[in-house]
């Protein structure tokens, strides 16, 4: 689907989205449930604001339909009304006091998805009064929501949706500013701010689409070499430098952990480092690190088939980092951004690494392998070491690392482990603003004892059945050095429960990184 979004003063598009606050509709109507003889709703100023855009007799009919269907503008409520050749879709925002960026984005995404399912290709979204953000921020939230809801992955379908639709795949959405202002100059400035928000949203939306595409490809396609080609393409488009260390060169240069994980695969393991911008007083260096295990069999500690079914998404951390890198470059942020991708396939072969092996890492630490299915942290150990060579002010890694974190937080909330309060606080604020949800978890140092090895510096996995997410984070902390560091344990997949996240790769984390780096104050 091709999506085009613009900001306008007025729109003639036939399919219309109107966000509604529950405050405007609360406790102000009566239905036949309350009176046997009266089947209509009482009308006040709030109802007039909501339904006044429709001409009579449609306005009255819409009020009565809303009352009959008990549409109150609550979150997750929608009301789709046909109006001649037009469609009006009212989507609930809940009450004004409780409105968050996530609630607003989800309401608009829900409306977009519902209209699109009816075949709508030309939509207008009317921005309501009373939103707590400026025009640019409002437009960006709305446009990001449309980009996220519009995502489709049809690469492997024998017949594309374009062939099935006489109108093609182009979808056009116009963001319509509030009531017309008599001052044309002021109106022009408002539209310019809306347009800037739309432009920024496109950069973020394309980054999310990239991350989702990479995760959704099957593992037979999305090999380490495939991801390297994607990194090359992104680098060319962004004007970024790219460094690649691949195959036996990893072993020669001391990256023994990632090499061991990936050496059994036909596709050699690799580390890729992308650089956007130049380091300087006004462009601090920040490193993103992504786990890119393109398929995880578990190695010799092989997974059962039920646990292996979704393991193509085990490169979701690397996909998120590459998508975020492309988005940040698209936004043109003043930062020296380094993205390190640790790429390997954890296969079973005569060359597979074994339980009991002792691996040497680039950081100089040795690791005793107690479980070959705890391979992601080994990949990240060497990836963090490479990122550290760029002397970043902060390092943030994304990884589909532990089932323990999913048990604790579910699929929709990423686990945050951070050894720096300033960085941790900035990430939590970025999560609040972006809607990519985080929850802080402790780097509980007493559990470091679970990683002790009688033979090496540490083991790669605790043999105890408790605190799996914490011990994995503590393992990574050993390789982060003294740089402020955050580890984000993510799921990278959506079951389609939210209109912002269609089923498949989620791209969650791209918006988070953009918000974090745009804020920038935490780097001062």
């Amino acid at each position: 689907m091709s999506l085009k979004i613009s900001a306008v003063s007025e729109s003639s598009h036939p399919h219309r989205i109107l966000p509604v606050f529950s405050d405007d509709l609360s406790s102000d109507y009566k239905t036949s449930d309350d009176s046997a003889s009266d089947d209509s709703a009482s009308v006040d100023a709030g109802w007039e604001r909501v339904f006044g855009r429709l001409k009579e007799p449609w306005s009255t009919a819409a009020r009565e339909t809303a009352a009959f269907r008990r549409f109150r503008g609550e979150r997750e409520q929608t009301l789709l009304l046909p109006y001649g050749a037009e469609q009006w879709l009212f989507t609930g925002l809940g009450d004004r006091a409780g409105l968050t960026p996530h609630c607003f984005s989800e309401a608009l995404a829900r409306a977009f998805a519902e209209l699109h399912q009816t075949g709508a290709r030309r939509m207008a979204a009317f921005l309501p009064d009373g939103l707590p953000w400026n025009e640019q921020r409002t437009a960006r939230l709305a446009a990001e929501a449309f980009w996220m809801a519009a995502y489709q992955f049809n690469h492997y379908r024998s017949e594309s949706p374009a062939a099935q639709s006489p109108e093609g795949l182009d979808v056009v959405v116009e963001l319509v500013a509030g009531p017309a202002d008599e001052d044309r100059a002021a109106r022009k400035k408002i539209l310019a701010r809306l347009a800037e928000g739309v432009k920024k949203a496109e950069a973020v939306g394309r980054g999310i689409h990239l991350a989702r595409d990479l995760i959704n490809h099957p593992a037979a396609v999305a090999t380490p070499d495939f991801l390297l080609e994607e990194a090359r393409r992104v680098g060319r488009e962004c004007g970024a430098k790219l460094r690649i260390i691949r195959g036996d060169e990893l072993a020669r240069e001391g990256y023994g952990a990632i090499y061991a994980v990936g050496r059994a695969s036909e596709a050699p393991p690799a580390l890729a480092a992308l650089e956007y911008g130049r380091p300087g007083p006004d462009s601090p260096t920040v490193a993103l690190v992504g786990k890119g295990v393109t398929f995880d069999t578990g190695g010799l500690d092989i997974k059962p088939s039920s646990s292996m079914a979704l393991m193509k998404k085990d490169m979701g951390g690397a996909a998120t980092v590459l998508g975020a890198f492309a988005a940040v470059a698209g936004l043109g942020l003043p930062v020296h951004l380094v993205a390190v991708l640790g790429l390997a396939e954890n296969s079973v072969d005569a060359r597979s690494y074994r339980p009991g092996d002792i691996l040497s890492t680039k950081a100089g630490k040795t690791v005793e392998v107690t479980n070959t299915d705890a391979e992601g942290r080994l990949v990240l150990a060497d990836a963090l070491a490479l990122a550290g060579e760029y002397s970043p002010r902060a390092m943030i890694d994304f990884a589909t690392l532990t089932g323990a974190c999913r048990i604790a937080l579910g699929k929709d909330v990423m686990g945050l482990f951070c050894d720096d309060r300033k960085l941790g606080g900035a990430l939590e604020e970025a999560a609040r603003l972006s809607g990519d949800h985080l929850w802080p978890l402790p780097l509980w140092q007493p559990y470091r004892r679970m990683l002790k090895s009688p033979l090496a510096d540490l083991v790669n996995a605790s043999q105890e059945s408790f605190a799996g997410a914490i011990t994995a984070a503590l393992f990574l902390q050993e390789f982060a050095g003294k740089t402020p560091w955050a580890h984000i344990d993510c799921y990278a997949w959506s079951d389609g429960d939210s209109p912002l996240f269609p089923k498949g790769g989620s791209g969650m984390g791209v918006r988070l990184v953009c918000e974090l780096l745009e804020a920038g104050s935490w780097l001062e």
Side-chain angles (χ1 to χ4, degrees):
M1 178 193 306
S2 173
L3 181 64
K4 299 177 182 178
I5 306 175
S6 61
V8 298
S9 295
E10 297 178 356
S11 177
S12 60
H13 287 348
H15 308 287
R16 303 187 170 198
I17 297 170
L18 289 95
V20 177
F21 286 108
S22 60
D23 310 53
D24 291 335
L25 302 180
S26 60
S27 68
D28 289 318
Y29 63 81
K30 301 172 184 176
T31 69
S32 56
D33 294 336
D34 306 308
S35 171
S37 60
D38 187 358
D39 195 40
S40 65
S42 64
V43 181
D44 71 349
W47 283 69
E48 182 62 29
R49 283 196 299 272
V50 173
F51 298 107
R53 292 180 184 272
L54 281 72
K55 298 176 182 178
E56 292 293 356
W58 299 106
S59 180
T60 298
R63 293 184 182 101
E64 293 176 350
T65 302
F68 178 74
R69 296 183 183 175
R70 294 191 175 275
F71 176 76
R72 296 181 172 90
E74 301 290 350
R75 295 175 192 170
E76 301 187 13
Q77 278 193 313
T78 60
L79 178 67
L80 180 60
L81 299 175
Y83 173 54
E86 301 176 357
Q87 291 188 104
W88 295 71
L89 195 146
F90 299 88
T91 183
L93 298 176
D95 63 279
R96 284 180 171 80
L99 186 65
T100 65
H102 175 73
C103 293
F104 179 70
S105 298
E106 192 167 64
L108 292 184
R110 180 174 291 106
F112 177 96
E114 188 171 339
L115 274 182
H116 188 255
Q117 286 177 351
T118 70
R121 294 291 183 270
R122 300 290 184 269
M123 305 182 197
F126 292 83
L127 300 176
D129 295 332
L131 293 172
W133 313 291
N134 62 32
E135 291 91 352
Q136 183 182 128
R137 182 67 182 169
T138 297
R140 177 168 170 178
L141 288 171
E144 283 180 359
F146 296 144
W147 274 99
M148 294 174 74
Y151 176 79
Q152 295 178 337
F153 187 75
N154 299 310
H155 192 81
Y156 298 99
R157 295 189 184 277
S158 57
E159 185 177 5
S160 71
Q164 303 170 17
S165 171
E167 296 184 60
L169 286 177
D170 284 349
V171 175
V172 177
V173 181
E174 291 181 338
L175 288 182
V176 185
D181 196 308
E182 294 181 0
D183 187 340
R184 290 187 178 181
R187 190 70 172 174
K188 188 175 181 180
K189 290 179 180 178
I190 289 173
L191 288 175
R193 290 193 289 269
L194 291 173
E196 184 62 24
V198 168
K199 181 180 178 181
K200 289 184 176 183
E202 181 174 353
V204 178
R206 291 190 183 280
I208 293 170
H209 282 208
L210 170 60
R212 290 176 175 179
D213 282 349
L214 296 177
I215 297 168
N216 286 333
H217 280 297
V221 173
T223 62
D225 283 341
F226 177 88
L227 292 179
L228 288 178
E229 283 304 313
E230 285 296 299
R232 287 191 182 95
R233 181 186 63 78
V234 170
R236 286 194 300 270
E237 292 177 357
C238 299
K241 297 179 182 178
L242 175 62
R243 176 187 177 190
I244 293 174
I245 310 170
R246 180 177 178 270
D248 292 342
E249 186 182 358
L250 289 167
R252 289 194 295 271
E253 293 197 19
Y255 298 96
I258 186 174
Y259 179 75
V261 171
R263 70 189 181 200
S265 172
E266 290 183 354
L271 285 166
L274 281 158
E275 272 189 273
Y276 163 77
R278 296 173 178 270
D282 298 322
S283 56
T285 301
V286 176
L288 304 177
V289 180
K291 171 191 168 184
V293 175
T294 58
F295 194 79
D296 182 17
T297 65
L300 293 179
D301 289 315
I302 197 164
K303 295 177 182 288
S305 59
S306 60
S307 299
M308 210 184 294
L310 266 182
M311 282 300 100
K312 71 174 187 177
K313 77 171 184 68
D314 213 20
M315 41 66 72
T320 300
V321 164
L322 191 56
F325 183 90
V328 169
L331 290 168
L333 299 184
V335 65
H336 176 226
L337 185 63
V338 177
V340 175
L341 313 178
L343 308 173
E345 182 179 1
N346 190 16
S347 299
V348 177
D349 185 81
R351 299 186 69 212
S352 296
Y353 77 121
R354 298 162 290 270
D357 283 357
I358 296 179
L359 310 178
S360 297
T361 67
K362 181 65 173 179
K365 295 180 184 292
T366 56
V367 180
E368 180 186 359
V369 177
T370 50
N371 190 333
T372 62
D373 196 21
E375 84 298 328
R377 63 202 70 183
L378 296 173
V379 169
L380 287 172
D382 279 343
L384 286 166
L386 177 56
E389 293 180 10
Y390 293 86
S391 302
R393 297 268 292 275
M395 289 195 296
I396 305 162
D397 76 69
F398 287 84
T400 51
L401 205 64
T402 67
C405 195
R406 302 286 64 77
I407 292 170
L409 300 179
K411 301 175 181 179
D412 300 337
V413 181
M414 299 179 288
L416 169 64
F417 297 86
C418 188
D419 64 3
D420 182 86
R421 287 189 177 183
K422 198 171 184 180
L423 173 58
L427 279 164
E428 290 185 60
E429 177 63 10
R432 186 188 68 80
L433 292 172
S434 68
D436 283 350
H437 303 303
L438 289 175
W439 196 261
L441 295 170
L443 287 163
W444 190 249
Q445 294 302 317
Y447 290 165
R448 173 63 177 77
R449 59 178 169 76
M450 299 184 193
L451 298 176
K452 288 183 178 179
S453 166
L455 303 174
D457 294 326
L458 67 168
V459 298
N460 74 321
S462 167
Q463 297 302 289
E464 298 187 32
S465 58
F466 304 106
I470 296 175
T471 55
L474 288 171
F475 178 92
L476 296 179
Q477 190 179 26
E478 295 287 320
F479 299 90
K482 296 181 179 180
T483 302
W485 159 80
H487 161 58
I488 296 176
D489 196 327
C490 58
Y491 188 58
W493 188 263
S494 169
D495 291 330
D497 299 328
S498 166
L500 288 167
F501 297 97
K503 187 169 184 177
S506 71
M508 183 178 286
V510 173
R511 292 183 299 171
L512 174 78
V513 170
C514 293
E515 290 289 351
L516 177 74
L517 296 182
E518 281 182 286
S521 58
W522 60 278
L523 286 166
E524 296 173 357

